[in-house]
Amino acid sequence: MDVLTVEKLNVTFRTDEGLKHAVRDVSFTLRNEKLAIVGESGSGKSTVGKAILRLNPPSTRVTAEKLQFGKTNLLACNEKEIRAIRGQHISMIMQDPKFSLNPVMTVGEQISEALSVHRNISRREAKEAALEMLKEVSIADPEHVYSQYPHEISGGMGQRVMIAMMVIPEPDIIIADEPTSALDVSVQQDVLNILTRLIEKKNISLIFISHDLNLVKKFCDRVLVMYGGRVVESIKANELSNASHPYTRGLMESLPSLKHRRETLPVMTRDQNWLTQEYTT
Amino acid sequence: MISIQSLSFDMPGSTKSKRILNDINISIGKGECFGLVGESGSGKTSILKCLAGQFQGWEGAIAIQGKSLAETSLKERSNTMQMVFQDPYGALHPRHTIRKILNEPLAIKGLSDKSERILKALKDVGLDETFLPRYPHQLSGGQRQRVAIARAIILDPDIILLDEPTSALDVSVQAEILNLLTSLHRRHQLTYLMVSHDLGVIAHLCERVAVMKSGEIVEVVSRDDLVEGNVAHAYTKVLLQHALSRE
Amino acid sequence: MKNAEVVRNSDYSLKARHNPEYTRVALFVKSFKKLCRNPLSASGVIIVALLLICAIAAPLIATHNPLEQDLARVLASPSLAHWFGTDEYGRDVFSRLVYGSRVTLYIIFLVTIIVGPVGLLVGTMSGYFGGWVDSVFMRITDIFISFPSLVLALAFVAALGPGLEHAVIAIAITSWPPVARLARAETLTLRNSDYVVAAQLQGASACRVLFHYISLMCLPSLIVRLTMNMATVILTAAALGFLGLGAQPPLPEWGAMISTGRSYMLESWWLVAFPGAAIMLVSLAFNLLGDGLRDLLDPRTE
């Protein structure tokens, strides 16, 4: 079943130097899967995620031939309807949890508030359920974390709390924008495992935006590689090592490897054609 | 070249001071690339800050080329040691042109033949003189980091401290910068002390790596031992397993 | 060299910015255009420009000699011959206003070139060195700030004696502390930035770091602050003039003009209304200009 269909999505920003075409003709279909959008800085990957939820700054122009979420046409939605979809049906996890959590409320209060709004339950029940949620994201001491403020918890803990909050309304899609880039390597894996477990349990589709090809190779089902605002390759994650596009291959090869150390790393020569050439499967 | 013996440092806090480095012992030979790997808060950058003179009041003994660091002024230190920072944008003054940025160290030292030196340093890092009138915001991340490296080598130091020099860059640019660092190391007989959270990057450049955790060195391993999985400490194994799982 | 090749095509999105003609002059023109795009700051620019023109070309613009008395035409109401009427000695109010802009600009200019460098020096030094230097400088600014500025200025003029130069000194003394505070706050955030550390590692002296690195970065917010400050300077100067402690007659100073016109205010409204309007308009213009400059120069809005 197609959860989300995007056809010919274009995003332009107005800057001092004129119009900037950040996303060009991006099309993809999200099924019940883990889809990765990968690219380097400036490739437009985050802009795609934001454009789906209309989170771009006001000076942005978003056009598409189709932006279909289930039975809803996202292009026809007014501001109020989009707000109802945001959070309820499509959630977003940002890179730094510190900016997404309310700094003057304890972590537990925020979770139980979200719960009581969503499930229409009493405060006591909400607290119980919130502690249950914290346990579910593998927090060892939920009682303690419940009463802490966002600045008192570590980055990994904060991202777990964010994940807990985002799955409460049981959305259909979670858009995760570099959720683990700010975390230490040993914590990254835990957070990803928790995310995988929860979305599989609750049958949620995931759009995972990242700069790290090697990370999504292990973690996602399908990968869209973006360059200069365009999708240059769409490929199954387990076939990434036989990617056809030179950009994808270049990204894979330029990473230093422990096992096969090369004195000089291969350097990518960028081709102007990548910006214009139509991608063929 | 660099010898650090029982280095400890307490960060003075508002109520009580916090120990962020505890009994660090490192000895780095001339021309060696030595790596410090660890997670945020493990104290790896603090060691660089002690060396660079940003942290005062550490205990222990640090000697550079046999000379005690405590008795060397910052001005003397600048002839032997320079630093490259993590954020290539923050490391360059936003209102100085590239010419001014590279001219500053020469002007401070009162050196002559400035233009030749500037051009040579630029060429060393793979840039040309068309960059001279530009400002840092007109350059890409990789080009900024090249300028920062040019500024570090322009005084012909023996030691370069590298503080996560590639972690703010895209992987393809990271490869370019790592290649540049490798070739500079060879051509200028430099000694590197590099800090990174990425074991892959560290092992690419450094022959020996010290693994740090909560202010202490848990293990010093050679690159060969890392590749063969020949490590003793449990924490090193976690880092190594993670790095290998990503290849 | 192979590396150079790679660098040149390594970032497509920066191509537009790679234009070598993107120089300081072009940047200035672009900023100026941006400033004029906002109607409020544009009106500020226009009024300040008019003030400058008035001051420079005063003899050409003024219809009469501002000091020439004509006792036959005392307190004449506005007419074609005297656009803004005449005062109690028959002097043309319009011409006096035009020449008064010279006095106003003279005060603004002197105060700003005293306050800017002093504030910058004190602020950056106390921010950079910290410790006892910071304590001493900041307690001194605290003392100056804790007095109402007009009272302090009055006290200084009373001590030095009335006069334009003394008014300038008094206003400067009361308006440097906020500038120093601002420079200090900026310096505190810059002190630990990587490029300052890099300069220290190159052996740069404290003096060099302050002048070549920190001051340069403090300038934008300082310019905004000084522009806003000019409005206050105009008001304080007018107040001192009004109290008879600033410019001395027969010099045409706007505050002094209101002061003398006050006695005839009920019959001859133009004696007070026109200088008052001039003061209001010019101080408003400097505020608007300051607001526009802040939008332009503040890195947080970029």
Side-chain angles (χ1 to χ4, degrees), chain C residues 157-243:
Chain C
V157 178
L160 297 167
L164 197 55
E165 280 73 24
H166 295 166
V168 167
I169 294 170
I171 296 169
I173 283 171
T174 59
S175 52
W176 68 268
V179 179
R181 281 248 178 121
L182 180 78
R184 175 177 175 269
E186 293 271 321
T187 309
L188 284 179
T189 61
L190 297 168
R191 186 171 62 171
N192 292 320
S193 65
D194 285 348
Y195 52 81
V196 170
V197 173
Q200 290 166 340
L201 275 177
Q202 286 155 2
S205 60
C207 200
R208 192 175 191 98
V209 172
L210 280 179
F211 283 108
H212 287 245
Y213 292 80
I214 288 176
S215 302
L216 216 56
M217 294 304 289
C218 292
L219 274 184
S221 51
L222 216 67
I223 289 172
V224 172
R225 176 77 218 195
L226 285 175
T227 313
M228 301 277 226
N229 206 28
M230 287 174 188
T232 328
V233 169
I234 292 168
L235 292 181
T236 316
L240 287 177
F242 181 82
L243 294 170

Side-chain angles (χ1 to χ4, degrees), chain A residues 181-221:
Chain A
S181 315
L183 306 180
D184 283 326
V185 281
S186 58
V187 188
Q188 273 185 11
Q189 203 54 50
D190 297 341
V191 170
L192 288 181
N193 289 342
I194 293 162
L195 187 62
T196 318
R197 204 183 64 228
L198 278 176
I199 61 174
E200 277 169 6
K201 186 171 154 197
K202 312 221 179 219
N203 211 13
I204 301 169
S205 307
L206 178 72
I207 297 179
F208 190 85
I209 298 166
S210 174
H211 67 281
D212 192 338
L213 255 180
N214 286 331
L215 180 77
V216 305
K217 187 169 72 178
K218 283 274 152 58
F219 171 68
C220 292
D221 304 318

Side-chain angles (χ1 to χ4, degrees), chain C residues 25-141:
Chain C
V25 179
L27 206 70
F28 180 78
V29 171
K30 205 185 85 181
S31 309
F32 188 73
K33 276 185 185 157
K34 206 167 152 191
L35 186 68
C36 294
R37 214 176 293 154
N38 179 347
L40 281 178
S41 37
S43 55
V45 171
I46 291 169
I47 295 172
V48 172
L50 280 178
L51 182 74
L52 279 171
I53 293 169
C54 273
I56 294 165
L60 299 176
I61 294 171
T63 47
H64 297 73
N65 182 339
L67 303 179
E68 193 182 70
Q69 302 187 0
D70 181 1
L71 294 175
R73 296 187 62 97
V74 169
L75 295 176
S77 57
S79 64
L80 272 179
H82 298 279
W83 294 348
F84 291 174
T86 60
D87 68 2
E88 71 276 19
Y89 298 111
R91 294 175 298 196
D92 182 52
V93 173
F94 174 73
S95 306
R96 284 180 70 75
L97 272 184
V98 170
Y99 275 91
S101 64
R102 285 188 167 181
V103 181
T104 304
L105 273 179
Y106 175 76
I107 294 172
I108 292 174
F109 177 74
L110 278 185
V111 168
T112 304
I113 60 162
I114 297 171
V115 164
V118 169
L120 187 66
L121 195 71
V122 171
T124 50
M125 274 171 70
S126 67
Y128 185 69
F129 292 112
W132 66 267
V133 179
D134 187 30
S135 304
V136 170
F137 277 147
M138 281 304 112
R139 289 306 78 76
I140 294 174
T141 53

Side-chain angles (χ1 to χ4, degrees), chain A residues 62-100:
Chain A
V62 179
T63 55
E65 278 178 14
K66 198 171 169 191
L67 214 56
Q68 188 83 20
F69 165 65
K71 290 198 174 62
T72 330
N73 177 6
L74 291 178
L75 288 171
C77 284
N78 59 29
E79 208 39 52
K80 203 175 153 198
E81 288 163 329
I82 276 280
R83 230 177 296 143
I85 287 172
R86 252 182 241 157
Q88 283 296 329
H89 299 286
I90 306 179
S91 301
M92 191 142 186
I93 300 175
M94 301 290 197
Q95 179 169 353
D96 196 337
K98 294 242 157 56
F99 297 121
S100 317

Side-chain angles (χ1 to χ4, degrees), chain B residues 52 54 74-75 78 81-83 85 87 90-96 100 104-105 107-109 123-124 126-128 131 134-135 137-140 143 146 151 155 176 180, chain C residues 1 3-8 10-11 14 17-20 22-24 27 192-205 208 212-214 216-217 220 297 302:
Chain B
Q54 273 177 282
L74 261 177
K75 197 148 190 172
S78 62
M81 195 164 60
Q82 287 296 326
M83 186 158 167
F85 299 85
D87 172 18
L92 305 178
H93 195 290
R95 292 187 197 270
H96 284 175
K100 166 101 173 154
E104 275 289 295
I108 292 167
K109 288 276 172 306
K123 204 170 154 242
D124 274 344
L127 302 175
D128 55 34
F131 285 88
R134 293 193 193 155
Y135 287 92
H137 69 261
Q138 294 167 287
L139 268 54
S140 70
Q143 290 166 345
R146 281 170 195 267
R151 176 180 61 188
L155 288 177
E176 293 174 18
L180 173 66
Chain C
M1 190 154 179
N3 262 341
E5 281 299 315
V6 177
V7 173
R8 227 172 268 139
S10 78
D11 202 338
L14 281 151
R17 297 195 214 163
H18 273 186
N19 191 349
Y22 199 75
T23 54
R24 211 171 273 203
L27 206 70
N192 292 320
S193 65
D194 285 348
Y195 52 81
V196 170
V197 173
Q200 290 166 340
L201 275 177
Q202 286 155 2
S205 60
R208 192 175 191 98
H212 287 245
Y213 292 80
I214 288 176
L216 216 56
M217 294 304 289
L297 298 173
E302 264 175 28

Side-chain angles (χ1 to χ4, degrees), chain A residues 153-281:
Chain A
I153 56 177
S154 68
M157 205 66 95
Q159 210 55 294
R160 287 170 204 225
V161 171
M162 272 315 288
I163 292 173
M165 283 185 70
M166 288 301 138
V167 297
I168 285 168
E170 307 203 347
D172 300 304
I173 304 175
I174 288 183
I175 301 174
D177 191 350
E178 306 255 12
T180 59
S181 315
L183 306 180
D184 283 326
V185 281
S186 58
V187 188
Q188 273 185 11
Q189 203 54 50
D190 297 341
V191 170
L192 288 181
N193 289 342
I194 293 162
L195 187 62
T196 318
R197 204 183 64 228
L198 278 176
I199 61 174
E200 277 169 6
K201 186 171 154 197
K202 312 221 179 219
N203 211 13
I204 301 169
S205 307
L206 178 72
I207 297 179
F208 190 85
I209 298 166
S210 174
H211 67 281
D212 192 338
L213 255 180
N214 286 331
L215 180 77
V216 305
K217 187 169 72 178
K218 283 274 152 58
F219 171 68
C220 292
D221 304 318
R222 203 154 57 90
V223 181
L224 298 180
V225 182
M226 286 190 70
Y227 177 75
R230 292 156 38 90
V231 174
V232 292
E233 184 153 18
S234 162
I235 189 169
K236 282 216 178 86
N238 51 22
E239 289 168 8
L240 259 178
S241 30
N242 338 314
S244 61
H245 198 279
Y247 179 66
T248 318
R249 280 216 305 277
L251 282 185
M252 305 275 297
E253 281 163 11
S254 55
L255 217 72
S257 155
L258 265 177
K259 276 196 205 126
H260 314 284
R261 185 173 177 275
R262 296 148 293 183
E263 190 57 31
T264 34
L265 295 163
V267 167
M268 206 191 299
T269 332
R270 286 154 206 264
D271 193 334
Q272 280 297 311
N273 285 336
W274 296 352
L275 294 173
T276 47
Q277 222 162 48
E278 208 44 55
Y279 165 67
T280 46
T281 332

